[in-house]
Amino acid sequence: MTANWGEPTLGVVLTDAEKTLTEAGAWQPRGDAEKLAAHVLGCTVEQLSPDATLGLEDLARLRELVARRADRTPVEYLTGCAVLGGVEVAVGPGVFVPRKHTEPLLAWGLDVVREVSDPLAVDLCTGSAAIALAVAHARPDATVHAIELDPVALSWARRNVARQAELGDTPIILHAGDVTDPAMFADLDGTVDLLLANPPFVVDGVVLPPEWQEHQPWPALFGGQDGLVVIRAVVAAATRLLRAGGGVAIEHDDEQAEVVMSLLREQDTFTDISYGVDHWGTPRYTTARRK
Ligand SMILES: C[S@@+](CC[C@H](N)C(=O)[O-])C[C@H]1O[C@@H](n2cnc3c(N)ncnc32)[C@H](O)[C@@H]1O
């Protein structure tokens, strides 16, 4: 069914795209098709009209993007952006795509510093800088340091940091460095109000869905033979960097809450150790306060 010869309606194109993406195993075929259509048409998903006709150029571009999504390229690499905490960051090959799962960790962190004026925050393993920029966006009075090891991820982070500063947010301070370095941020020892981290935590050798396994950088995903190599370094850093009463939140997979809580207990420097859940109700991050 077409409105004009050669120009199908958006509704028809979306139904075709949804079918293609369902067959390819994409989790949110309709949502992805709509995001790609909105990207091609330069509008929001809410503004899409099923009765609109698509010009041949837009149609070709949309079909190309749907084919790439069917190859399980993350939809955010195709639209070029992802959102965390109301901040849009640019993403593409070489940088981890920020996930909705991280929103509750961010909300917990912002709550920790709600009553603290001019808080000092650090984001370890910053990737695109999404968490750090979301903190700076919510708290213009905060000083936010972010650190990342991978040079390609860092180049995305630099671009995002510059853009948010241009948009008027307080600039964050981006560092190239290794979270496992025991001297990382040594000048901040005992002064940090909030430490957030979404480190690599997947056990080496686990095979992930293609969106991660084939498209996203492995240093962002794999955390050694037990998945905990970087998480252990984050716990050590929190012990050293946080001031008394400061809070730490560490993202992990749905089965790691117990072990991450044990790592925090072993330090004997934390209180209020517990875990939080993501939007699916799955254990997703562990939190603690420095005694
Ligand atoms: C799961 S991604 C999270 C990125 C970002 N925080 C987010 O939530 O979207 C983990 C990031 O940690 C970085 N990373 C891995 N090992 C690191 C290390 N030892 N020191 C600093 N960054 C590291 C990876 O390059 C990747 O960008």
Side-chain angles (χ1 to χ4, degrees):
M1 190 180 71
T2 55
N4 296 310
W5 189 85
E7 293 185 350
T9 63
L10 182 58
V12 170
V13 175
L14 285 175
T15 301
D16 278 357
E18 182 180 358
K19 187 163 171 276
T20 302
L21 296 181
T22 303
E23 283 165 5
W27 293 327
Q28 296 176 314
R30 182 73 187 189
D32 287 353
E34 288 176 352
K35 280 183 195 164
L36 295 175
H39 175 65
V40 166
L41 296 173
C43 65
T44 65
V45 166
E46 294 72 31
Q47 290 168 333
L48 292 173
S49 160
D51 297 328
T53 51
L54 274 183
L56 291 181
E57 246 178 57
D58 287 342
L59 181 62
R61 176 90 184 109
L62 182 53
R63 284 191 172 144
E64 182 212 327
L65 290 176
V66 169
R68 289 176 62 196
R69 180 69 192 107
D71 191 35
R72 306 289 293 271
T73 300
V75 69
E76 295 86 353
Y77 278 7
L78 301 173
T79 61
C81 63
V83 176
L84 186 74
V87 172
E88 186 177 285
V89 289
V91 292
V95 73
F96 183 81
V97 176
R99 300 192 304 163
K100 194 175 171 184
H101 302 68
T102 306
E103 295 280 0
L105 171 147
L106 173 65
W108 183 90
L110 292 174
D111 204 42
V112 162
V113 292
R114 192 161 308 284
E115 305 294 328
V116 182
S117 54
D118 305 323
L120 177 57
V122 299
D123 172 22
L124 307 184
C125 300
T126 198
S128 62
I131 295 176
L133 292 171
V135 172
H137 186 65
R139 290 296 302 267
D141 60 333
T143 300
V144 185
H145 292 267
I147 188 163
E148 169 59 47
L149 181 63
D150 182 74
V152 181
L154 262 174
S155 66
W156 286 99
R158 279 194 199 99
R159 174 173 162 185
N160 290 322
V161 169
R163 178 166 180 272
Q164 278 311 112
E166 270 169 30
L167 290 173
D169 282 0
T170 308
I172 70 156
I173 305 150
L174 188 61
H175 305 256
D178 187 342
V179 167
T180 65
D181 174 358
M184 174 197 61
F185 291 154
D187 50 333
L188 303 181
D189 278 0
T191 64
V192 171
D193 297 294
L194 176 64
L195 187 153
L196 299 177
N198 179 12
F201 51 69
V202 181
V203 172
D204 285 359
V206 167
V207 178
L208 298 168
E211 283 82 354
W212 288 271
Q213 188 78 19
E214 290 169 21
H215 295 281
Q216 298 198 46
W218 284 18
L221 308 174
F222 296 103
Q225 284 189 348
D226 61 0
L228 298 170
V229 169
V230 186
I231 286 183
R232 279 195 197 89
V234 171
V235 170
T239 305
R240 182 167 58 77
L241 293 173
L242 289 178
R243 64 158 175 83
V248 52
I250 306 169
E251 187 161 325
H252 47 67
D253 82 14
D254 51 353
E255 293 179 351
Q256 288 170 324
E258 276 306 326
V259 69
V260 177
M261 289 196 292
S262 314
L263 291 173
L264 286 159
R265 275 187 217 109
E266 277 168 20
Q267 299 294 311
D268 202 25
T269 47
F270 294 103
T271 180
D272 298 342
I273 299 170
S274 64
Y275 69 83
V277 297
D278 62 17
H279 56 293
W280 287 335
T282 307
R284 184 58 60 194
Y285 63 102
T286 289
T287 59
R289 305 296 289 258
R290 183 77 164 88
K291 283 183 190 166

